[in-house]
Amino acid sequence: MTARRKILLVTTDQQRYDTIGCNGGALARTPVVDGLAATGIRYERAHPQSVVCMPSRATILTGQHPATHGVWMNGVPLPADAPSAAEVLRQAGYRTALVGKAHFEPYLDPFLRFEENALARTGTTPAGGAHHGFEHLELATHGPVGPLHYARWLAEHHPEAVGGFYRVLDGSMQVNAEGGGDTGAPQVAVNPIERGWYHTDWVADRTIAWLDSLDAGDDWFCWMSFPDPHHPWDPPQSEVGRVDWRDVPLPAGYPVTAAERERIIDAKPRHWRLWYDGALVSNYEAPAAWVPATLTADQVREVNARNAVECELIDEALGRVLARVAARGWADDVDVLFTTDHGELQGDFGLLFKGPYHVDALMRLPLVWRPARSAGPPPAVVRRPVGLVDLAPTLCAIAGLEPPPWMQGRPLPADDADGAERGFERVLTDWDSELFGVDVHLRTITRDGWVCTAYLPGSVHDGTEGELYDLADDPLQQANLWDDPARRALRDDLLADLWDHRPPQRVPRPRVEAPV
C-alpha cells in the first residue's frame, strides 16, 4: 500500500494570536512557525469553541462542540464513549502518539481515578491498546508535581531541579497568588533549571524518540503538546535575558490609567468589574487571592517578556523536531499544524489569565497549516472564520479519510475562495462555569467582522446582558455596543444566527469531578 501523508499536530497552551511573528508579534522570535506560515496556510480568524483548557482540547480531539462531547468546563473528564480523531486514524493503520499536555481528564487526582494519571504513574499500556486513540502517551503539565511522565522523569534524573519551579498551588490547594521576578508579578518565578531539563525541550526530546522508534514506511499521527506559554511564567532563568522586560512596550489593549481601565470595564457585563476589584472569581486558574486592580504596568511588561521567552523556546524545540523529521526522509510528506487551545489576557483591560471574557485576547488564536509539500495547495492567508472544531475533520482529510458524521466541523479551507464556497461564515464559542458557588454562562458568535455574546442567567447575570463589538472599528473591543439602539437589528440577527446553529446539549450533562 502506498504510504499516506504523515501528520504532526503541534499545540501550545494559552498562546495569543499576536505572539508569533507572522501574526505581527514583535517580542518573540518565531522563525520556525513563521516559515511554516510562509509556505503554508495562515488563518486570520481561528477561534476556539471554549476559552479554557479541557473543553477546548476535547474539541480538538473529537471535532465536536462542548455541548456535544460533554466537557463543558475544566474538571469534567472527557467521557469514555467520546469519539476521537486519533482513534479514526489508528483504525486506518496510523501509528498514534500524544507527547506533552493531554488534559482530557482532571489533574487534581490524588487517588489516580483517571486513566491519564494512572497510566503515567504505573507505566502501563492503555486498555485496548490506546487511550482515546493514542497508542503511545508521554504526558506533562506546567510543573514538576504529580504523577505524569515529565514529573516522574525530573524527580528521578534531576531532583535538584524540582524545587525551582513556581509552586502552582498554595497551602489551601488554591491557585497560588504569590508574585515573583523583578516586579512581583503574580505567577512569575525565577527558575534555575537547566534549559534541557525544562518541559519544553523534554516534550521535543520525547517526540523525537518516538519518531525514531518508527519504521520509515509507517503512517503516523503525532500530537506534540507543549505546556507553555500558559502561566506560571517560570522559564529557565538562563533564557530570560533574551527579552528585557524593561524594554517591552505596553500592549495596545492595556489602558494606561486606572480611570480608563475602569471606564472600559464598566461598560461590560458586571462580572468584568467584579473580577477586576477582586470580588468574584469564576475560573479556578485565576488566583482567588489576587486582585487584578493591583496589576502594574511593569508587571504587565515582565509577564509579556517571560511569555515571549517561552514562545521562543517552543519555536526552537519545534525546529529540532522538524529537523529530525527531515533526517528521517519524511520532510515532503508531513503535514504540520500549529495552534493553541485558547489565548491569554496578558494585560488587556488590566487583566491576566483567562475566564468568561469573550474577546480577541482569548478567542483569536494562532493557526498555521503547512500541508505536505508532496500534495499541498499553494501558500495562502485565510480570513474566513474557522474553529478548532475543524481540526479533527482536517486530520481525516489529510489521511484520505471521509470525516465521520459525528464530527461537527469541516476540513479547513485552503484559501478564502474555498472557505466562501463551503460556507465558512461563523464560529461559535461557549463558556460555562460553576465554581465557588458562582455560575457564569456565555454564548458567542463571530461573523461578518462582529463578535456578539449573549449571557444566560447565572449568579451575577439575569440573561439580558451581552456584548457586541465591531472588529473593524474597535479591534481592541473596548466599546460595547450591546445596548446601542442603532445596532439592535444587527444584534438580533446575530443572536438568531447563534441560536440557529448551536448543537443540542448532551444529556445528561457530565459531572464536574475536580476544579481543574
Side-chain angles (χ1 to χ4, degrees), residues 16 18 45 250-255 260 264 268 272 345 348-349 358-361 364 451 467-480:
R16 290 172 61 107
D18 56 10
R45 274 285 158 192
L250 288 169
Y254 176 75
E260 182 68 3
I264 292 168
K268 300 176 185 293
W272 283 82
L345 285 159
D348 283 6
F349 311 102
H358 281 181
V359 290
D360 270 7
R364 191 182 189 188
V451 178
E467 298 176 67
L468 179 66
Y469 301 109
D470 181 346
L471 294 173
D473 291 343
D474 180 26
L476 299 178
Q477 292 143 27
Q478 295 182 344
N480 183 12

PDB file of all heavy atoms in Angstrom, residues 16 18 45 250-255 260 264 268 272 345 348-349 358-361 364 451 467-480:
ATOM      1  N   ARG A  16      -1.491  33.643  22.741  1.00  0.00           N
ATOM      2  CA  ARG A  16      -2.209  34.668  21.984  1.00  0.00           C
ATOM      3  C   ARG A  16      -1.852  34.622  20.493  1.00  0.00           C
ATOM      4  O   ARG A  16      -0.752  34.234  20.113  1.00  0.00           O
ATOM      5  CB  ARG A  16      -1.867  36.056  22.519  1.00  0.00           C
ATOM      6  CG  ARG A  16      -2.420  36.378  23.883  1.00  0.00           C
ATOM      7  CD  ARG A  16      -1.848  37.691  24.384  1.00  0.00           C
ATOM      8  NE  ARG A  16      -2.184  38.804  23.517  1.00  0.00           N
ATOM      9  CZ  ARG A  16      -3.077  39.751  23.815  1.00  0.00           C
ATOM     10  NH1 ARG A  16      -3.727  39.702  24.965  1.00  0.00           N
ATOM     11  NH2 ARG A  16      -3.321  40.748  22.985  1.00  0.00           N
ATOM     12  N   ASP A  18      -1.149  37.165  18.677  1.00  0.00           N
ATOM     13  CA  ASP A  18      -0.110  38.138  18.336  1.00  0.00           C
ATOM     14  C   ASP A  18       1.241  37.849  18.967  1.00  0.00           C
ATOM     15  O   ASP A  18       2.099  38.734  19.050  1.00  0.00           O
ATOM     16  CB  ASP A  18      -0.571  39.558  18.697  1.00  0.00           C
ATOM     17  CG  ASP A  18      -0.970  39.710  20.165  1.00  0.00           C
ATOM     18  OD1 ASP A  18      -0.714  38.788  20.965  1.00  0.00           O
ATOM     19  OD2 ASP A  18      -1.547  40.766  20.510  1.00  0.00           O
ATOM     20  N   ARG A  45      -8.572  34.283  11.391  1.00  0.00           N
ATOM     21  CA  ARG A  45      -9.684  34.258  12.352  1.00  0.00           C
ATOM     22  C   ARG A  45      -9.968  32.822  12.761  1.00  0.00           C
ATOM     23  O   ARG A  45     -10.991  32.242  12.396  1.00  0.00           O
ATOM     24  CB  ARG A  45     -10.925  34.898  11.734  1.00  0.00           C
ATOM     25  CG  ARG A  45     -10.965  36.401  11.895  1.00  0.00           C
ATOM     26  CD  ARG A  45     -11.318  36.781  13.334  1.00  0.00           C
ATOM     27  NE  ARG A  45     -10.869  38.134  13.651  1.00  0.00           N
ATOM     28  CZ  ARG A  45     -10.848  38.617  14.879  1.00  0.00           C
ATOM     29  NH1 ARG A  45     -11.239  37.858  15.888  1.00  0.00           N
ATOM     30  NH2 ARG A  45     -10.418  39.831  15.104  1.00  0.00           N
ATOM     31  N   LEU A 250       4.113  48.520  26.441  1.00  0.00           N
ATOM     32  CA  LEU A 250       2.823  48.056  26.946  1.00  0.00           C
ATOM     33  C   LEU A 250       1.936  47.647  25.774  1.00  0.00           C
ATOM     34  O   LEU A 250       1.945  48.285  24.723  1.00  0.00           O
ATOM     35  CB  LEU A 250       2.147  49.153  27.759  1.00  0.00           C
ATOM     36  CG  LEU A 250       2.792  49.430  29.121  1.00  0.00           C
ATOM     37  CD1 LEU A 250       2.229  50.713  29.723  1.00  0.00           C
ATOM     38  CD2 LEU A 250       2.569  48.255  30.064  1.00  0.00           C
ATOM     39  N   PRO A 251       1.164  46.586  25.921  1.00  0.00           N
ATOM     40  CA  PRO A 251       0.304  46.156  24.819  1.00  0.00           C
ATOM     41  C   PRO A 251      -0.776  47.196  24.512  1.00  0.00           C
ATOM     42  O   PRO A 251      -1.202  47.950  25.403  1.00  0.00           O
ATOM     43  CB  PRO A 251      -0.311  44.846  25.335  1.00  0.00           C
ATOM     44  CG  PRO A 251      -0.146  44.871  26.817  1.00  0.00           C
ATOM     45  CD  PRO A 251       1.066  45.690  27.097  1.00  0.00           C
ATOM     46  N   ALA A 252      -1.206  47.211  23.256  1.00  0.00           N
ATOM     47  CA  ALA A 252      -2.214  48.186  22.843  1.00  0.00           C
ATOM     48  C   ALA A 252      -3.501  48.038  23.641  1.00  0.00           C
ATOM     49  O   ALA A 252      -4.226  49.013  23.857  1.00  0.00           O
ATOM     50  CB  ALA A 252      -2.497  48.024  21.344  1.00  0.00           C
ATOM     51  N   GLY A 253      -3.786  46.823  24.112  1.00  0.00           N
ATOM     52  CA  GLY A 253      -5.030  46.586  24.838  1.00  0.00           C
ATOM     53  C   GLY A 253      -4.978  46.935  26.305  1.00  0.00           C
ATOM     54  O   GLY A 253      -5.974  46.723  27.017  1.00  0.00           O
ATOM     55  N   TYR A 254      -3.845  47.466  26.782  1.00  0.00           N
ATOM     56  CA  TYR A 254      -3.710  47.837  28.195  1.00  0.00           C
ATOM     57  C   TYR A 254      -3.976  49.326  28.359  1.00  0.00           C
ATOM     58  O   TYR A 254      -3.154  50.155  27.978  1.00  0.00           O
ATOM     59  CB  TYR A 254      -2.316  47.493  28.700  1.00  0.00           C
ATOM     60  CG  TYR A 254      -2.049  47.939  30.127  1.00  0.00           C
ATOM     61  CD1 TYR A 254      -2.596  47.242  31.196  1.00  0.00           C
ATOM     62  CD2 TYR A 254      -1.249  49.049  30.390  1.00  0.00           C
ATOM     63  CE1 TYR A 254      -2.348  47.641  32.505  1.00  0.00           C
ATOM     64  CE2 TYR A 254      -0.993  49.458  31.694  1.00  0.00           C
ATOM     65  CZ  TYR A 254      -1.550  48.757  32.740  1.00  0.00           C
ATOM     66  OH  TYR A 254      -1.315  49.151  34.031  1.00  0.00           O
ATOM     67  N   PRO A 255      -5.124  49.714  28.915  1.00  0.00           N
ATOM     68  CA  PRO A 255      -5.365  51.141  29.176  1.00  0.00           C
ATOM     69  C   PRO A 255      -4.451  51.613  30.306  1.00  0.00           C
ATOM     70  O   PRO A 255      -4.431  51.018  31.386  1.00  0.00           O
ATOM     71  CB  PRO A 255      -6.840  51.187  29.589  1.00  0.00           C
ATOM     72  CG  PRO A 255      -7.423  49.863  29.154  1.00  0.00           C
ATOM     73  CD  PRO A 255      -6.288  48.883  29.255  1.00  0.00           C
ATOM     74  N   GLU A 260      -9.252  55.004  32.920  1.00  0.00           N
ATOM     75  CA  GLU A 260      -9.611  54.499  31.596  1.00  0.00           C
ATOM     76  C   GLU A 260      -9.938  53.010  31.645  1.00  0.00           C
ATOM     77  O   GLU A 260     -10.896  52.550  31.003  1.00  0.00           O
ATOM     78  CB  GLU A 260      -8.462  54.768  30.616  1.00  0.00           C
ATOM     79  CG  GLU A 260      -8.726  54.337  29.179  1.00  0.00           C
ATOM     80  CD  GLU A 260      -9.808  55.164  28.487  1.00  0.00           C
ATOM     81  OE1 GLU A 260     -10.339  56.123  29.095  1.00  0.00           O
ATOM     82  OE2 GLU A 260     -10.123  54.851  27.323  1.00  0.00           O
ATOM     83  N   ILE A 264     -13.768  51.478  30.659  1.00  0.00           N
ATOM     84  CA  ILE A 264     -13.985  50.435  29.648  1.00  0.00           C
ATOM     85  C   ILE A 264     -14.667  49.222  30.270  1.00  0.00           C
ATOM     86  O   ILE A 264     -15.643  48.684  29.729  1.00  0.00           O
ATOM     87  CB  ILE A 264     -12.643  50.053  28.999  1.00  0.00           C
ATOM     88  CG1 ILE A 264     -12.106  51.217  28.164  1.00  0.00           C
ATOM     89  CG2 ILE A 264     -12.791  48.788  28.155  1.00  0.00           C
ATOM     90  CD1 ILE A 264     -10.671  51.034  27.724  1.00  0.00           C
ATOM     91  N   LYS A 268     -19.040  46.896  30.291  1.00  0.00           N
ATOM     92  CA  LYS A 268     -19.221  45.476  30.006  1.00  0.00           C
ATOM     93  C   LYS A 268     -20.092  44.852  31.105  1.00  0.00           C
ATOM     94  O   LYS A 268     -20.356  45.480  32.136  1.00  0.00           O
ATOM     95  CB  LYS A 268     -17.858  44.784  29.929  1.00  0.00           C
ATOM     96  CG  LYS A 268     -16.922  45.343  28.842  1.00  0.00           C
ATOM     97  CD  LYS A 268     -15.567  44.674  28.879  1.00  0.00           C
ATOM     98  CE  LYS A 268     -14.591  45.299  27.891  1.00  0.00           C
ATOM     99  NZ  LYS A 268     -14.985  45.057  26.494  1.00  0.00           N
ATOM    100  N   TRP A 272     -17.089  41.528  34.810  1.00  0.00           N
ATOM    101  CA  TRP A 272     -15.799  42.124  34.470  1.00  0.00           C
ATOM    102  C   TRP A 272     -15.291  42.980  35.633  1.00  0.00           C
ATOM    103  O   TRP A 272     -14.157  42.812  36.091  1.00  0.00           O
ATOM    104  CB  TRP A 272     -15.932  42.997  33.218  1.00  0.00           C
ATOM    105  CG  TRP A 272     -16.000  42.284  31.910  1.00  0.00           C
ATOM    106  CD1 TRP A 272     -17.091  41.709  31.333  1.00  0.00           C
ATOM    107  CD2 TRP A 272     -14.915  42.089  30.994  1.00  0.00           C
ATOM    108  NE1 TRP A 272     -16.765  41.173  30.118  1.00  0.00           N
ATOM    109  CE2 TRP A 272     -15.440  41.395  29.874  1.00  0.00           C
ATOM    110  CE3 TRP A 272     -13.563  42.448  30.999  1.00  0.00           C
ATOM    111  CZ2 TRP A 272     -14.653  41.040  28.777  1.00  0.00           C
ATOM    112  CZ3 TRP A 272     -12.772  42.102  29.901  1.00  0.00           C
ATOM    113  CH2 TRP A 272     -13.324  41.401  28.805  1.00  0.00           C
ATOM    114  N   LEU A 345      -5.091  36.862  28.494  1.00  0.00           N
ATOM    115  CA  LEU A 345      -5.383  38.297  28.544  1.00  0.00           C
ATOM    116  C   LEU A 345      -4.108  39.130  28.533  1.00  0.00           C
ATOM    117  O   LEU A 345      -4.034  40.163  27.859  1.00  0.00           O
ATOM    118  CB  LEU A 345      -6.234  38.609  29.775  1.00  0.00           C
ATOM    119  CG  LEU A 345      -7.699  38.172  29.617  1.00  0.00           C
ATOM    120  CD1 LEU A 345      -8.375  38.016  30.958  1.00  0.00           C
ATOM    121  CD2 LEU A 345      -8.455  39.148  28.730  1.00  0.00           C
ATOM    122  N   ASP A 348      -4.362  42.962  28.688  1.00  0.00           N
ATOM    123  CA  ASP A 348      -5.524  43.607  28.078  1.00  0.00           C
ATOM    124  C   ASP A 348      -6.565  43.908  29.153  1.00  0.00           C
ATOM    125  O   ASP A 348      -6.861  43.062  30.012  1.00  0.00           O
ATOM    126  CB  ASP A 348      -6.140  42.723  26.999  1.00  0.00           C
ATOM    127  CG  ASP A 348      -5.344  42.730  25.702  1.00  0.00           C
ATOM    128  OD1 ASP A 348      -4.252  43.336  25.692  1.00  0.00           O
ATOM    129  OD2 ASP A 348      -5.803  42.140  24.712  1.00  0.00           O
ATOM    130  N   PHE A 349      -7.099  45.128  29.126  1.00  0.00           N
ATOM    131  CA  PHE A 349      -8.110  45.593  30.079  1.00  0.00           C
ATOM    132  C   PHE A 349      -7.569  45.650  31.518  1.00  0.00           C
ATOM    133  O   PHE A 349      -8.337  45.791  32.465  1.00  0.00           O
ATOM    134  CB  PHE A 349      -9.376  44.713  30.041  1.00  0.00           C
ATOM    135  CG  PHE A 349      -9.907  44.476  28.659  1.00  0.00           C
ATOM    136  CD1 PHE A 349      -9.666  43.277  28.009  1.00  0.00           C
ATOM    137  CD2 PHE A 349     -10.609  45.459  28.003  1.00  0.00           C
ATOM    138  CE1 PHE A 349     -10.135  43.055  26.724  1.00  0.00           C
ATOM    139  CE2 PHE A 349     -11.083  45.258  26.710  1.00  0.00           C
ATOM    140  CZ  PHE A 349     -10.853  44.055  26.069  1.00  0.00           C
ATOM    141  N   HIS A 358     -15.114  36.913  26.426  1.00  0.00           N
ATOM    142  CA  HIS A 358     -15.004  36.511  25.022  1.00  0.00           C
ATOM    143  C   HIS A 358     -14.534  37.681  24.160  1.00  0.00           C
ATOM    144  O   HIS A 358     -15.309  38.310  23.444  1.00  0.00           O
ATOM    145  CB  HIS A 358     -16.338  35.933  24.548  1.00  0.00           C
ATOM    146  CG  HIS A 358     -16.539  34.518  24.988  1.00  0.00           C
ATOM    147  ND1 HIS A 358     -17.643  33.768  24.679  1.00  0.00           N
ATOM    148  CD2 HIS A 358     -15.750  33.696  25.725  1.00  0.00           C
ATOM    149  CE1 HIS A 358     -17.542  32.564  25.204  1.00  0.00           C
ATOM    150  NE2 HIS A 358     -16.400  32.503  25.849  1.00  0.00           N
ATOM    151  N   VAL A 359     -13.239  37.940  24.246  1.00  0.00           N
ATOM    152  CA  VAL A 359     -12.567  38.968  23.461  1.00  0.00           C
ATOM    153  C   VAL A 359     -11.373  38.332  22.760  1.00  0.00           C
ATOM    154  O   VAL A 359     -10.979  37.209  23.056  1.00  0.00           O
ATOM    155  CB  VAL A 359     -12.129  40.144  24.368  1.00  0.00           C
ATOM    156  CG1 VAL A 359     -13.336  40.940  24.855  1.00  0.00           C
ATOM    157  CG2 VAL A 359     -11.304  39.641  25.550  1.00  0.00           C
ATOM    158  N   ASP A 360     -10.774  39.084  21.840  1.00  0.00           N
ATOM    159  CA  ASP A 360      -9.721  38.519  20.993  1.00  0.00           C
ATOM    160  C   ASP A 360      -8.533  37.986  21.776  1.00  0.00           C
ATOM    161  O   ASP A 360      -7.867  37.041  21.339  1.00  0.00           O
ATOM    162  CB  ASP A 360      -9.231  39.564  19.985  1.00  0.00           C
ATOM    163  CG  ASP A 360     -10.008  39.526  18.688  1.00  0.00           C
ATOM    164  OD1 ASP A 360     -11.012  38.784  18.616  1.00  0.00           O
ATOM    165  OD2 ASP A 360      -9.620  40.250  17.746  1.00  0.00           O
ATOM    166  N   ALA A 361      -8.207  38.583  22.928  1.00  0.00           N
ATOM    167  CA  ALA A 361      -7.081  38.089  23.712  1.00  0.00           C
ATOM    168  C   ALA A 361      -7.219  36.605  23.997  1.00  0.00           C
ATOM    169  O   ALA A 361      -6.225  35.870  24.007  1.00  0.00           O
ATOM    170  CB  ALA A 361      -6.982  38.864  25.022  1.00  0.00           C
ATOM    171  N   ARG A 364      -8.999  34.816  19.704  1.00  0.00           N
ATOM    172  CA  ARG A 364      -8.299  34.824  18.410  1.00  0.00           C
ATOM    173  C   ARG A 364      -6.995  34.056  18.555  1.00  0.00           C
ATOM    174  O   ARG A 364      -6.116  34.447  19.318  1.00  0.00           O
ATOM    175  CB  ARG A 364      -8.028  36.251  17.949  1.00  0.00           C
ATOM    176  CG  ARG A 364      -7.551  36.326  16.507  1.00  0.00           C
ATOM    177  CD  ARG A 364      -7.246  37.755  16.112  1.00  0.00           C
ATOM    178  NE  ARG A 364      -6.985  37.863  14.678  1.00  0.00           N
ATOM    179  CZ  ARG A 364      -6.547  38.961  14.073  1.00  0.00           C
ATOM    180  NH1 ARG A 364      -6.317  40.069  14.781  1.00  0.00           N
ATOM    181  NH2 ARG A 364      -6.336  38.973  12.768  1.00  0.00           N
ATOM    182  N   VAL A 451     -18.471  40.470  16.808  1.00  0.00           N
ATOM    183  CA  VAL A 451     -18.493  39.485  17.890  1.00  0.00           C
ATOM    184  C   VAL A 451     -19.684  39.815  18.786  1.00  0.00           C
ATOM    185  O   VAL A 451     -19.768  40.932  19.319  1.00  0.00           O
ATOM    186  CB  VAL A 451     -17.197  39.501  18.720  1.00  0.00           C
ATOM    187  CG1 VAL A 451     -17.282  38.498  19.866  1.00  0.00           C
ATOM    188  CG2 VAL A 451     -16.000  39.187  17.841  1.00  0.00           C
ATOM    189  N   GLU A 467     -22.600  41.465  24.998  1.00  0.00           N
ATOM    190  CA  GLU A 467     -21.529  42.282  24.432  1.00  0.00           C
ATOM    191  C   GLU A 467     -21.613  42.215  22.914  1.00  0.00           C
ATOM    192  O   GLU A 467     -21.927  41.168  22.339  1.00  0.00           O
ATOM    193  CB  GLU A 467     -20.162  41.784  24.906  1.00  0.00           C
ATOM    194  CG  GLU A 467     -19.973  41.875  26.407  1.00  0.00           C
ATOM    195  CD  GLU A 467     -18.655  41.296  26.885  1.00  0.00           C
ATOM    196  OE1 GLU A 467     -17.602  41.875  26.549  1.00  0.00           O
ATOM    197  OE2 GLU A 467     -18.689  40.259  27.564  1.00  0.00           O
ATOM    198  N   LEU A 468     -21.325  43.338  22.279  1.00  0.00           N
ATOM    199  CA  LEU A 468     -21.333  43.425  20.821  1.00  0.00           C
ATOM    200  C   LEU A 468     -20.186  44.335  20.403  1.00  0.00           C
ATOM    201  O   LEU A 468     -20.109  45.485  20.857  1.00  0.00           O
ATOM    202  CB  LEU A 468     -22.670  43.988  20.330  1.00  0.00           C
ATOM    203  CG  LEU A 468     -22.816  44.153  18.815  1.00  0.00           C
ATOM    204  CD1 LEU A 468     -22.814  42.798  18.104  1.00  0.00           C
ATOM    205  CD2 LEU A 468     -24.098  44.920  18.483  1.00  0.00           C
ATOM    206  N   TYR A 469     -19.310  43.809  19.555  1.00  0.00           N
ATOM    207  CA  TYR A 469     -18.133  44.566  19.145  1.00  0.00           C
ATOM    208  C   TYR A 469     -17.975  44.542  17.627  1.00  0.00           C
ATOM    209  O   TYR A 469     -18.167  43.501  16.980  1.00  0.00           O
ATOM    210  CB  TYR A 469     -16.862  43.985  19.785  1.00  0.00           C
ATOM    211  CG  TYR A 469     -16.904  43.985  21.287  1.00  0.00           C
ATOM    212  CD1 TYR A 469     -17.028  42.786  21.984  1.00  0.00           C
ATOM    213  CD2 TYR A 469     -16.826  45.173  22.005  1.00  0.00           C
ATOM    214  CE1 TYR A 469     -17.079  42.781  23.374  1.00  0.00           C
ATOM    215  CE2 TYR A 469     -16.874  45.175  23.387  1.00  0.00           C
ATOM    216  CZ  TYR A 469     -17.007  43.976  24.068  1.00  0.00           C
ATOM    217  OH  TYR A 469     -17.067  43.969  25.431  1.00  0.00           O
ATOM    218  N   ASP A 470     -17.600  45.700  17.095  1.00  0.00           N
ATOM    219  CA  ASP A 470     -17.274  45.857  15.686  1.00  0.00           C
ATOM    220  C   ASP A 470     -15.760  45.718  15.548  1.00  0.00           C
ATOM    221  O   ASP A 470     -15.001  46.604  15.947  1.00  0.00           O
ATOM    222  CB  ASP A 470     -17.741  47.237  15.216  1.00  0.00           C
ATOM    223  CG  ASP A 470     -17.460  47.502  13.752  1.00  0.00           C
ATOM    224  OD1 ASP A 470     -16.682  46.744  13.142  1.00  0.00           O
ATOM    225  OD2 ASP A 470     -18.022  48.478  13.209  1.00  0.00           O
ATOM    226  N   LEU A 471     -15.313  44.584  14.998  1.00  0.00           N
ATOM    227  CA  LEU A 471     -13.880  44.315  14.941  1.00  0.00           C
ATOM    228  C   LEU A 471     -13.138  45.263  14.007  1.00  0.00           C
ATOM    229  O   LEU A 471     -11.933  45.482  14.176  1.00  0.00           O
ATOM    230  CB  LEU A 471     -13.638  42.870  14.514  1.00  0.00           C
ATOM    231  CG  LEU A 471     -14.109  41.803  15.511  1.00  0.00           C
ATOM    232  CD1 LEU A 471     -13.960  40.411  14.902  1.00  0.00           C
ATOM    233  CD2 LEU A 471     -13.338  41.906  16.809  1.00  0.00           C
ATOM    234  N   ALA A 472     -13.836  45.824  13.035  1.00  0.00           N
ATOM    235  CA  ALA A 472     -13.178  46.747  12.110  1.00  0.00           C
ATOM    236  C   ALA A 472     -12.902  48.090  12.784  1.00  0.00           C
ATOM    237  O   ALA A 472     -11.786  48.624  12.701  1.00  0.00           O
ATOM    238  CB  ALA A 472     -14.038  46.946  10.869  1.00  0.00           C
ATOM    239  N   ASP A 473     -13.889  48.656  13.459  1.00  0.00           N
ATOM    240  CA  ASP A 473     -13.738  49.968  14.073  1.00  0.00           C
ATOM    241  C   ASP A 473     -13.193  49.907  15.494  1.00  0.00           C
ATOM    242  O   ASP A 473     -12.681  50.902  16.012  1.00  0.00           O
ATOM    243  CB  ASP A 473     -15.090  50.691  14.094  1.00  0.00           C
ATOM    244  CG  ASP A 473     -15.562  51.096  12.703  1.00  0.00           C
ATOM    245  OD1 ASP A 473     -14.721  51.105  11.783  1.00  0.00           O
ATOM    246  OD2 ASP A 473     -16.762  51.381  12.543  1.00  0.00           O
ATOM    247  N   ASP A 474     -13.298  48.762  16.133  1.00  0.00           N
ATOM    248  CA  ASP A 474     -12.907  48.629  17.535  1.00  0.00           C
ATOM    249  C   ASP A 474     -12.172  47.304  17.736  1.00  0.00           C
ATOM    250  O   ASP A 474     -12.649  46.409  18.419  1.00  0.00           O
ATOM    251  CB  ASP A 474     -14.169  48.700  18.410  1.00  0.00           C
ATOM    252  CG  ASP A 474     -13.875  48.567  19.900  1.00  0.00           C
ATOM    253  OD1 ASP A 474     -12.754  48.908  20.314  1.00  0.00           O
ATOM    254  OD2 ASP A 474     -14.771  48.098  20.644  1.00  0.00           O
ATOM    255  N   PRO A 475     -10.997  47.167  17.134  1.00  0.00           N
ATOM    256  CA  PRO A 475     -10.298  45.870  17.211  1.00  0.00           C
ATOM    257  C   PRO A 475      -9.903  45.474  18.634  1.00  0.00           C
ATOM    258  O   PRO A 475      -9.711  44.294  18.900  1.00  0.00           O
ATOM    259  CB  PRO A 475      -9.061  46.073  16.328  1.00  0.00           C
ATOM    260  CG  PRO A 475      -8.875  47.557  16.270  1.00  0.00           C
ATOM    261  CD  PRO A 475     -10.249  48.149  16.323  1.00  0.00           C
ATOM    262  N   LEU A 476      -9.806  46.436  19.541  1.00  0.00           N
ATOM    263  CA  LEU A 476      -9.453  46.125  20.932  1.00  0.00           C
ATOM    264  C   LEU A 476     -10.681  45.781  21.766  1.00  0.00           C
ATOM    265  O   LEU A 476     -10.556  45.456  22.945  1.00  0.00           O
ATOM    266  CB  LEU A 476      -8.704  47.291  21.567  1.00  0.00           C
ATOM    267  CG  LEU A 476      -7.379  47.669  20.901  1.00  0.00           C
ATOM    268  CD1 LEU A 476      -6.760  48.874  21.588  1.00  0.00           C
ATOM    269  CD2 LEU A 476      -6.412  46.491  20.907  1.00  0.00           C
ATOM    270  N   GLN A 477     -11.860  45.885  21.190  1.00  0.00           N
ATOM    271  CA  GLN A 477     -13.121  45.521  21.840  1.00  0.00           C
ATOM    272  C   GLN A 477     -13.305  46.259  23.160  1.00  0.00           C
ATOM    273  O   GLN A 477     -13.587  45.665  24.206  1.00  0.00           O
ATOM    274  CB  GLN A 477     -13.191  43.997  22.021  1.00  0.00           C
ATOM    275  CG  GLN A 477     -13.305  43.264  20.698  1.00  0.00           C
ATOM    276  CD  GLN A 477     -12.548  41.963  20.645  1.00  0.00           C
ATOM    277  OE1 GLN A 477     -12.325  41.317  21.653  1.00  0.00           O
ATOM    278  NE2 GLN A 477     -12.138  41.574  19.448  1.00  0.00           N
ATOM    279  N   GLN A 478     -13.170  47.564  23.053  1.00  0.00           N
ATOM    280  CA  GLN A 478     -13.318  48.413  24.237  1.00  0.00           C
ATOM    281  C   GLN A 478     -14.648  49.145  24.277  1.00  0.00           C
ATOM    282  O   GLN A 478     -15.007  49.709  25.323  1.00  0.00           O
ATOM    283  CB  GLN A 478     -12.160  49.418  24.291  1.00  0.00           C
ATOM    284  CG  GLN A 478     -10.799  48.761  24.479  1.00  0.00           C
ATOM    285  CD  GLN A 478      -9.659  49.745  24.584  1.00  0.00           C
ATOM    286  OE1 GLN A 478      -9.801  50.916  24.236  1.00  0.00           O
ATOM    287  NE2 GLN A 478      -8.500  49.281  25.054  1.00  0.00           N
ATOM    288  N   ALA A 479     -15.406  49.149  23.172  1.00  0.00           N
ATOM    289  CA  ALA A 479     -16.687  49.859  23.112  1.00  0.00           C
ATOM    290  C   ALA A 479     -17.808  48.843  22.934  1.00  0.00           C
ATOM    291  O   ALA A 479     -18.021  48.329  21.829  1.00  0.00           O
ATOM    292  CB  ALA A 479     -16.687  50.877  21.980  1.00  0.00           C
ATOM    293  N   ASN A 480     -18.517  48.539  24.000  1.00  0.00           N
ATOM    294  CA  ASN A 480     -19.596  47.552  23.968  1.00  0.00           C
ATOM    295  C   ASN A 480     -20.860  48.186  23.387  1.00  0.00           C
ATOM    296  O   ASN A 480     -21.435  49.116  23.962  1.00  0.00           O
ATOM    297  CB  ASN A 480     -19.865  47.037  25.387  1.00  0.00           C
ATOM    298  CG  ASN A 480     -20.926  45.943  25.411  1.00  0.00           C
ATOM    299  OD1 ASN A 480     -21.321  45.412  24.384  1.00  0.00           O
ATOM    300  ND2 ASN A 480     -21.395  45.620  26.607  1.00  0.00           N
TER     301      ASN A 480
END
